[in-house]
Amino acid sequence: MKNTYIPFQMKVKKIYTESPDRTLKTFDLSYVNKDDKFNFLPGQFCEFSILGKGESPFGIASSPTEEDILKFTVNRTGSVTNEIHYLQEGDIVGIRGPLGNWYPVEKFKGQDVVIIGGGFAFTTLRSLLVYMLGHRKDYGKITVVYGARNPDLFIYKDEIKEWEKRDDLTLHLTIDNPVKGWNKLTGFVPTVTKEVSLDPTSWCVVCGPPIMIKYTLPVLTEIGFPDEKIYTSLERRMKCGIGKCGRCNIGSKYVCIDGPVFSYEEIKKIPEAL
Amino acid sequence: MRVLKLSKKDEKKLYDVLNKFGEVWAPVPKGSRYVYDKIEKKEDLVSYNEFVRTILPIKKFLMPQDFNILNLSPSKFETPKVDIPTRVIVGVPPCEIHALNILDKFYTTDFVDNYYMERREKVIIIGKSSLPDEYLFSHKTNTSIVEEGYDLFFIDLGDYYLVWVGSEKGDDIVRLGSDIFSEDVPVDVAHDFVAYREKRRKAFTKHIDLEGVTDLMELMYDADFWDEFGEKCLSCGQCTMVCPTCTCFNVIDELELNKDEGHRRRYWDSCMFKDYSLVAGQHNFRESRAERLKLWYTHKLKAFIGHFGSPSCVGCGRCIITCPVEINVETVVEKLKG
């Protein structure tokens, strides 16, 4: 019987420093053994292990359309993420996954999609965006609202520049407070969401810090999005990722196996979800 | 299902039969309480008429309090090779067998937990009915009578035990012990059995009225009494440690001094602990004790039904006698019922 607690090995292929303060780094991992390669969909996550330092869950930032790598963006904030930041290209790490459910990309087919993200939580949203751009003709209008505290804290800045050039994608970038030289939007994500005249017949995916999600979802309702067409991804403490350690339990759900992706309709039935 | 008889005069021979299948473990006194311990001599295997509440339930055999789940080395992650002895656990009460059935369901639904399964296969359950003490309320949680989950099950009817055979392993035991287990079970034992059942049913004195609590958990989610309990709670986590259906664990890595090798440890955790729901960036989803208490009781009395079809409280009464500040199923249900 396969032991789902045993990670397989991946090699750090490339490291990108995302922010000048070096708190955000992205790691491209390549498979050491081809047999370990797995299929996944945007929104799923993995448990990322470093020998002797522990294991933490991270959303997969790469898209299934990007061959042979897995991408993770990690904010340096605790003991495991600190160790991840010390990694060098060529180092070996442990991965368990794919875990959890995914954004309902099948339901999105032929439909307009709005993506709303905040800060370094844009990871699985990148996966979703790159996936939809990779199957561009399957989807209608794609609109992105992406906010960060300041211009330095956007992740995937080079790709954002590429996305801005595209005419098949509308991108609204916003920062919390005005900064000299910033000529895009200013204001918190919920406020900007209200201002950019989104089409409530679209499907909508929201991911960001807990506080951002909490204040953005009601705004979407106000605009007229039905609960069942709004999706978000929840963050919780997790140890196992397979519904056993108990920590991510909310109501009668486990975020790791019943989520992390939930519709607003489902979330409203779980008292402590937001 | 097969039912046999074991005469009390042959009771002392039971140990030798069971010992052929593995180590014999049973409740033994420890201070004023009991613990499941290894029985080395047949004289030490004692059958109790009254309910015996061990400090820790049988989950301790299936999910050790602290163990290594992986050996770590620069080249690989490996499951440690451990020799798990077969244990014949004698005197397990019905409510604990219900808890075991819940654990079985929990550890095999969606994903199978290998560590649990390899221990589960090494456990033989010899259940036993007994008369309730003042704290047992399994009659209110529908867990006072057990129909599955044991290998053998004993009911004391005075001069003899009725022995239910619940599995192939159980069948092997009675075959090997054919000189003490008698197939001669006349119809009239039914009278003794019915009389015992009736006596036992009437002996329950802890009447916690659980009817409707699932809905009340929802309606009373924001009630003030949660904060009152929160004020009192010590976050000691004893309720979760002694609960036969609590399964939460934490996982940490430890390195040897050479920094190249180490192991991944898994140990019992408690949702009463402050860092239970703490995530990166110091965001705590359950900062207050009241929120953590609500999680536990929601999980036990309501949420578990959504997952597995039944509440996960089996009425063993451990939380009632363990909590130092009287926060337990009884006092919570009292508040829920206003």
Side-chain angles (χ1 to χ4, degrees):
Chain A
M1 190 166 46
K2 193 173 172 285
N3 185 346
T4 36
Y5 293 102
I6 301 185
F8 61 82
Q9 295 185 319
M10 290 192 81
K11 185 183 263 183
V12 180
K13 194 178 173 195
K14 199 163 166 44
I15 302 173
Y16 311 80
T17 302
E18 298 284 1
S19 60
D21 66 358
R22 305 180 70 81
T23 56
L24 295 166
K25 281 186 181 178
T26 295
F27 301 84
D28 283 354
L29 309 181
S30 59
Y31 293 93
V32 172
N33 302 308
K34 291 240 174 320
D35 295 345
D36 294 328
K37 194 170 180 312
F38 58 74
N39 295 320
F40 69 99
L41 283 169
Q44 291 192 278
F45 69 96
C46 289
E47 286 280 352
F48 191 128
S49 278
I50 294 198
L51 170 73
K53 300 296 178 183
E55 200 177 35
S56 283
F58 298 99
I60 305 171
S62 49
S63 156
T65 53
E66 296 170 290
E67 282 291 299
D68 299 326
I69 62 142
L70 285 182
K71 190 190 279 290
F72 297 94
T73 299
V74 176
N75 177 38
R76 182 178 189 158
T77 181
S79 57
V80 177
T81 54
N82 211 22
E83 291 298 330
I84 292 175
H85 270 243
Y86 285 133
L87 286 170
Q88 304 286 317
E89 287 173 2
D91 284 351
I92 298 291
V93 299
I95 290 290
R96 288 193 294 126
L99 301 167
N101 66 355
W102 48 88
Y103 300 123
V105 285
E106 285 301 313
K107 287 183 185 169
F108 295 172
K109 277 195 175 163
Q111 311 274 315
D112 296 346
V113 179
V114 175
I115 293 174
I116 302 176
F120 58 85
F122 202 76
T123 54
T124 57
L125 297 181
R126 178 198 177 273
S127 174
L128 175 64
L129 181 58
V130 172
Y131 179 85
M132 290 196 298
L133 294 176
H135 300 95
R136 189 63 192 90
K137 59 181 189 317
D138 289 347
Y139 301 95
K141 219 176 129 205
I142 301 175
T143 309
V144 177
V145 177
Y146 181 16
R149 275 207 309 278
N150 62 60
D152 288 341
L153 295 178
F154 286 101
I155 52 177
Y156 319 127
K157 292 183 192 67
D158 291 342
E159 286 180 287
I160 289 176
K161 280 183 202 141
E162 297 302 313
W163 295 335
E164 283 181 307
K165 288 180 201 156
R166 295 181 72 126
D167 56 7
D168 59 352
L169 169 68
T170 310
L171 193 60
H172 303 288
L173 298 178
T174 180
I175 56 170
D176 288 359
N177 296 302
V179 166
K180 215 178 154 190
W182 177 257
N183 57 7
K184 290 156 197 148
L185 303 171
T186 305
F188 294 114
V189 168
T191 318
V192 170
T193 298
K194 207 184 290 186
E195 288 166 0
V196 294
S197 49
L198 299 172
D199 175 3
T201 64
S202 319
W203 290 78
C204 187
V205 176
V206 186
C207 190
I211 191 87
M212 187 208 96
I213 296 177
K214 189 172 178 166
Y215 289 104
T216 304
L217 295 179
V219 168
L220 293 168
T221 304
E222 216 176 288
I223 297 170
F225 285 90
D227 293 345
E228 66 273 18
K229 288 178 84 174
I230 304 170
Y231 279 83
T232 188
S233 180
L234 297 181
E235 177 199 10
R236 281 299 183 280
R237 191 176 178 110
M238 290 174 193
K239 285 288 167 181
C240 71
I242 57 173
K244 307 296 181 222
C245 77
R247 287 160 169 261
C248 69
N249 176 223
I250 47 168
S252 63
K253 306 282 180 192
Y254 289 95
V255 172
C256 66
I257 49 176
D258 300 310
V261 175
F262 292 95
S263 72
Y264 196 19
E265 192 181 22
E266 291 172 290
I267 279 179
K268 282 187 168 171
K269 292 178 196 154
I270 310 170
E272 51 169 3
L274 293 180
Chain B
M1 203 171 276
R2 286 178 73 197
V3 185
L4 293 90
K5 257 171 92 170
L6 171 69
S7 166
K8 285 242 170 121
K9 65 178 166 47
D10 292 327
E11 195 179 347
K12 286 290 169 218
K13 294 178 187 161
L14 180 63
Y15 177 87
D16 289 331
V17 176
L18 298 178
N19 205 21
K20 290 200 173 75
F21 289 83
E23 297 174 358
V24 177
W25 287 62
V28 299
K30 184 174 186 178
S32 60
R33 306 280 301 277
Y34 291 88
V35 293
Y36 284 109
D37 210 345
K38 193 171 164 185
I39 307 292
E40 305 282 2
K41 303 193 298 280
K42 62 176 147 195
E43 300 77 50
D44 295 341
L45 184 61
V46 178
S47 173
Y48 298 95
N49 267 330
E50 198 172 69
F51 179 71
V52 170
R53 185 181 294 98
T54 52
I55 297 172
L56 290 177
I58 54 171
K59 72 178 181 182
K60 75 171 186 179
F61 298 107
L62 303 159
M63 31 180 282
Q65 282 146 293
D66 192 339
F67 70 114
N68 288 349
I69 59 167
L70 291 177
N71 289 335
L72 313 171
S73 70
S75 58
K76 54 180 175 282
F77 298 89
E78 254 181 349
T79 317
K81 301 266 175 292
V82 282
D83 191 20
I84 301 160
T86 298
R87 293 191 181 103
V88 185
I89 306 170
V90 185
V92 184
C95 64
E96 278 220 55
I97 297 172
H98 275 275
L100 180 66
N101 292 339
I102 287 172
L103 294 183
D104 283 351
K105 233 186 260 180
F106 176 78
Y107 277 114
T108 55
T109 300
D110 297 319
F111 290 88
V112 174
D113 187 293
N114 296 46
Y115 303 102
Y116 178 84
M117 289 312 290
E118 62 189 8
R119 283 165 180 80
R120 181 69 181 89
E121 285 156 11
K122 293 293 186 72
V123 159
I124 296 173
I125 301 291
I126 313 296
K128 186 179 173 295
S129 176
S130 52
L131 296 173
D133 70 354
E134 67 215 276
Y135 301 107
L136 186 73
F137 61 100
S138 57
H139 64 311
K140 290 290 184 183
T141 49
N142 295 321
T143 52
S144 66
I145 292 168
V146 71
E147 280 163 2
E148 58 176 1
Y150 53 81
D151 297 289
L152 292 179
F153 191 84
F154 285 57
I155 292 181
D156 185 341
L157 293 182
D159 301 334
Y160 63 95
Y161 294 99
L162 275 186
V163 181
W164 266 257
V165 181
S167 72
E168 277 179 36
K169 271 184 208 166
D171 201 55
D172 291 345
I173 295 171
V174 294
R175 273 172 204 278
L176 198 75
S178 57
D179 56 329
I180 57 168
F181 291 104
S182 157
E183 302 265 2
D184 177 31
V185 183
V187 176
D188 59 6
V189 300
H191 299 296
D192 293 350
F193 175 66
V194 170
Y196 169 77
R197 273 275 174 96
E198 190 57 15
K199 179 180 162 198
R200 180 167 179 265
R201 192 178 64 78
K202 286 182 177 158
F204 280 95
T205 54
K206 181 63 88 185
H207 298 299
I208 301 176
D209 180 11
L210 288 158
E211 204 182 311
V213 290
T214 307
D215 295 328
L216 286 171
M217 279 304 298
E218 187 136 14
L219 292 168
M220 303 287 265
Y221 197 79
D222 296 317
D224 294 337
F225 73 80
W226 290 112
D227 292 325
E228 291 159 24
F229 280 136
E231 286 291 311
K232 282 206 299 184
C233 176
L234 305 171
S235 293
C236 66
Q238 289 188 73
C239 49
T240 59
M241 302 300 154
V242 301
C243 178
T245 61
C246 266
T247 51
C248 287
F249 58 79
N250 194 12
V251 179
I252 59 162
D253 279 11
E254 282 176 344
L255 274 186
E256 302 295 336
L257 282 174
N258 66 15
K259 287 203 147 198
D260 280 339
E261 280 159 11
H263 45 261
R264 181 159 290 173
R265 254 176 71 200
R266 165 164 153 183
Y267 56 89
W268 291 4
D269 197 4
S270 173
C271 59
M272 297 300 156
F273 296 162
K274 191 167 185 179
D275 63 357
Y276 182 78
S277 301
L278 185 71
V279 296
Q282 296 303 303
H283 183 84
N284 196 335
F285 285 96
R286 297 179 187 105
E287 181 82 40
S288 77
R289 290 189 295 271
E291 286 169 306
R292 301 200 290 275
L293 284 168
K294 264 194 244 187
L295 168 73
W296 198 63
Y297 285 98
T298 303
H299 183 74
K300 291 287 157 198
L301 301 177
K302 178 169 182 287
F304 208 83
I305 304 171
H307 267 284
F308 302 101
S310 64
S312 64
C313 174
V314 294
C316 72
R318 282 186 177 83
C319 57
I320 300 176
I321 61 163
T322 304
C323 178
V325 292
E326 293 181 333
I327 304 170
N328 54 52
V329 171
E330 185 176 30
T331 54
V332 167
V333 168
E334 257 168 35
K335 292 285 183 185
L336 283 172
K337 298 248 161 175

